[in-house]
Amino acid sequence: MKIYPQVTVLFTIIGFMACNQANKTSKDSGQDKFAALPAYFSQENAHIRTNDVTLFKTVILNGKKDTASISGNDSATVHDLLKPFMDADLNKPSLRDEYDTSSLYDPFSGRKSVIYKSRGKQTNPSEVTMELDKQGNIQQVNIHSYTSNLVYEFRQDLFYQQNRQVRMTTYQKIAFLAPKELEVNVTIAPKKGM
C-alpha cells in the first residue's frame, strides 16, 4: 500500500512538468504566428531611403487636392508614409487569437495569397491580405480597418505594392461633425538622370 502514494506523487510531478512544457511551447509558437509586418515595413523604409527614388505624392482631403514630389532620402516623410503599415502588428499579445488565416496558391506562377481575417467585429485591422512571390517574399499588402459605434465611425484601407505604389484612404465620422475623407496616393519611381 505504500507504493500507491509514491506512484501518485510521481505521476503528479510528471503531469506538472508536461503542463509547464506545453505552456512554454504554446507561448513561444504564438509569437511568430503571423507575418512580421512591422519588420517588413522597417526594411522597406530603409530600402526606399537608400535607393535613388522620387515619391510623387497626391493628397485629397475632403475634395481638395494637393501634389508634391519628394526625394526618397527624406527619412521623416518615408517613415510617416509607412507608419500606418508598421502599426498593423498582428503578433501583439492582445491580438494573438483574433485572426483566421487562409491562403490561395497559384500553381502556374508559384504566387501565393495569404489572408488574415478578424474573428471579431471591432478588431483592427479587420483584414490583411498579402501577395507573395514564388520565393515567399512579400510583394503587395492590403490592410483594411473598420470601427463603428454610436458616436464614431472609422474606415481605413491601406495598399502597398513593393517599389511601386502606396495608397491610403481614410474615412472618419464623429457624431455631430462633418465627415473627413482623406486619400493619399504615392508613386515610387527611380529618379531621372540629369
PDB file of all heavy atoms in Angstrom, residues 43 62 91 122 126 132 168-169 188:
ATOM      1  N   GLN A  43      12.168  47.342 -43.100  1.00  0.00           N
ATOM      2  CA  GLN A  43      13.104  47.043 -44.190  1.00  0.00           C
ATOM      3  C   GLN A  43      12.758  47.849 -45.441  1.00  0.00           C
ATOM      4  O   GLN A  43      13.647  48.361 -46.124  1.00  0.00           O
ATOM      5  CB  GLN A  43      13.089  45.551 -44.521  1.00  0.00           C
ATOM      6  CG  GLN A  43      13.686  44.678 -43.459  1.00  0.00           C
ATOM      7  CD  GLN A  43      13.509  43.197 -43.767  1.00  0.00           C
ATOM      8  OE1 GLN A  43      12.810  42.811 -44.697  1.00  0.00           O
ATOM      9  NE2 GLN A  43      14.135  42.362 -42.955  1.00  0.00           N
ATOM     10  N   ASN A  62     -11.044  65.905 -48.202  1.00  0.00           N
ATOM     11  CA  ASN A  62     -12.406  66.429 -48.387  1.00  0.00           C
ATOM     12  C   ASN A  62     -12.573  67.112 -49.737  1.00  0.00           C
ATOM     13  O   ASN A  62     -13.151  68.188 -49.841  1.00  0.00           O
ATOM     14  CB  ASN A  62     -12.786  67.365 -47.249  1.00  0.00           C
ATOM     15  CG  ASN A  62     -12.923  66.640 -45.933  1.00  0.00           C
ATOM     16  OD1 ASN A  62     -13.262  65.462 -45.890  1.00  0.00           O
ATOM     17  ND2 ASN A  62     -12.642  67.335 -44.850  1.00  0.00           N
ATOM     18  N   ASN A  91       0.926  40.285 -34.400  1.00  0.00           N
ATOM     19  CA  ASN A  91       1.579  39.445 -33.388  1.00  0.00           C
ATOM     20  C   ASN A  91       1.547  40.058 -31.993  1.00  0.00           C
ATOM     21  O   ASN A  91       2.185  39.530 -31.090  1.00  0.00           O
ATOM     22  CB  ASN A  91       3.017  39.145 -33.806  1.00  0.00           C
ATOM     23  CG  ASN A  91       3.046  38.225 -35.003  1.00  0.00           C
ATOM     24  OD1 ASN A  91       2.385  37.194 -35.014  1.00  0.00           O
ATOM     25  ND2 ASN A  91       3.783  38.598 -36.025  1.00  0.00           N
ATOM     26  N   GLN A 122     -14.823  44.282 -34.203  1.00  0.00           N
ATOM     27  CA  GLN A 122     -14.133  45.545 -33.992  1.00  0.00           C
ATOM     28  C   GLN A 122     -12.615  45.409 -33.864  1.00  0.00           C
ATOM     29  O   GLN A 122     -11.958  46.309 -33.373  1.00  0.00           O
ATOM     30  CB  GLN A 122     -14.682  46.239 -32.749  1.00  0.00           C
ATOM     31  CG  GLN A 122     -16.137  46.632 -32.865  1.00  0.00           C
ATOM     32  CD  GLN A 122     -16.379  47.735 -33.880  1.00  0.00           C
ATOM     33  OE1 GLN A 122     -15.617  48.674 -33.985  1.00  0.00           O
ATOM     34  NE2 GLN A 122     -17.442  47.617 -34.638  1.00  0.00           N
ATOM     35  N   SER A 126      -9.073  44.779 -39.576  1.00  0.00           N
ATOM     36  CA  SER A 126     -10.086  43.736 -39.729  1.00  0.00           C
ATOM     37  C   SER A 126      -9.652  42.671 -40.724  1.00  0.00           C
ATOM     38  O   SER A 126     -10.078  41.527 -40.627  1.00  0.00           O
ATOM     39  CB  SER A 126     -11.421  44.347 -40.145  1.00  0.00           C
ATOM     40  OG  SER A 126     -11.280  45.082 -41.342  1.00  0.00           O
ATOM     41  N   LEU A 132       2.467  37.037 -52.169  1.00  0.00           N
ATOM     42  CA  LEU A 132       3.851  36.586 -52.067  1.00  0.00           C
ATOM     43  C   LEU A 132       4.312  36.036 -53.415  1.00  0.00           C
ATOM     44  O   LEU A 132       3.532  35.388 -54.121  1.00  0.00           O
ATOM     45  CB  LEU A 132       3.972  35.488 -51.010  1.00  0.00           C
ATOM     46  CG  LEU A 132       3.335  35.756 -49.645  1.00  0.00           C
ATOM     47  CD1 LEU A 132       3.441  34.527 -48.761  1.00  0.00           C
ATOM     48  CD2 LEU A 132       3.991  36.931 -48.974  1.00  0.00           C
ATOM     49  N   MET A 168      -3.517  55.149 -49.456  1.00  0.00           N
ATOM     50  CA  MET A 168      -4.257  55.129 -48.198  1.00  0.00           C
ATOM     51  C   MET A 168      -5.552  55.908 -48.382  1.00  0.00           C
ATOM     52  O   MET A 168      -5.521  57.032 -48.883  1.00  0.00           O
ATOM     53  CB  MET A 168      -3.456  55.791 -47.085  1.00  0.00           C
ATOM     54  CG  MET A 168      -2.235  55.030 -46.683  1.00  0.00           C
ATOM     55  SD  MET A 168      -1.360  55.844 -45.343  1.00  0.00           S
ATOM     56  CE  MET A 168      -0.127  56.699 -46.280  1.00  0.00           C
ATOM     57  N   THR A 169      -6.650  55.320 -47.982  1.00  0.00           N
ATOM     58  CA  THR A 169      -7.921  56.037 -47.956  1.00  0.00           C
ATOM     59  C   THR A 169      -8.494  55.907 -46.551  1.00  0.00           C
ATOM     60  O   THR A 169      -8.522  54.816 -45.983  1.00  0.00           O
ATOM     61  CB  THR A 169      -8.926  55.486 -48.988  1.00  0.00           C
ATOM     62  OG1 THR A 169      -9.137  54.112 -48.745  1.00  0.00           O
ATOM     63  CG2 THR A 169      -8.426  55.692 -50.408  1.00  0.00           C
ATOM     64  N   ILE A 188       6.168  55.420 -56.371  1.00  0.00           N
ATOM     65  CA  ILE A 188       7.610  55.328 -56.122  1.00  0.00           C
ATOM     66  C   ILE A 188       8.273  55.090 -57.469  1.00  0.00           C
ATOM     67  O   ILE A 188       7.995  54.106 -58.147  1.00  0.00           O
ATOM     68  CB  ILE A 188       7.913  54.163 -55.160  1.00  0.00           C
ATOM     69  CG1 ILE A 188       7.142  54.342 -53.859  1.00  0.00           C
ATOM     70  CG2 ILE A 188       9.405  54.039 -54.914  1.00  0.00           C
ATOM     71  CD1 ILE A 188       7.133  53.123 -52.947  1.00  0.00           C
TER      72      ILE A 188
END
